């Protein structure tokens, strides 16, 4: 997952481990899906598949976080 620099710093300071939540799910997250990590909400902005010698690799680009109390309308 690719987080914004501010969110990367917040994850490090808070010592929050980012789970590989889709490892136990049948499908990987789609653009527009929301993830809740450490009490904040992140939206998947884009997905990019790459192929290397070990097989396909999914890169997720994550939007800036919203605090748990934030509400987004629209």
């Amino acid at each position: 997952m690719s987080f914004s620099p501010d969110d990367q710093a917040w994850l490090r300071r808070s010592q929050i481990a980012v789970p590989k939540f889709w490892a136990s799910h049948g499908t990987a997250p789609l653009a527009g899906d929301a993830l809740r990590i450490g009490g904040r909400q992140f939206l998947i902005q884009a997905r990019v598949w790459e192929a290397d010698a070990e097989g396909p690799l999914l890169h997720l680009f994550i939007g800036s976080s919203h605090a748990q109390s934030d509400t987004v309308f629209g």
Side-chain angles (χ1 to χ4, degrees), residues 12-73:
R12 279 193 305 275
R13 279 192 312 272
S14 302
Q15 298 179 346
I16 294 173
V18 177
K20 294 184 179 183
F21 82 95
W22 60 86
S24 62
H25 291 83
T27 59
L30 299 172
D33 284 352
L35 308 176
R36 190 164 297 280
I37 301 170
R40 291 190 179 186
Q41 180 174 304
F42 299 85
L43 293 178
I44 308 250
Q45 298 294 313
R47 307 172 0 138
V48 177
W49 285 99
E50 287 186 355
D52 63 11
E54 296 181 20
L57 179 63
L58 175 61
H59 291 278
L60 299 175
F61 294 90
I62 310 298
S64 296
S65 67
H66 298 283
Q68 189 169 15
S69 62
D70 288 355
T71 303
V72 177
F73 298 100

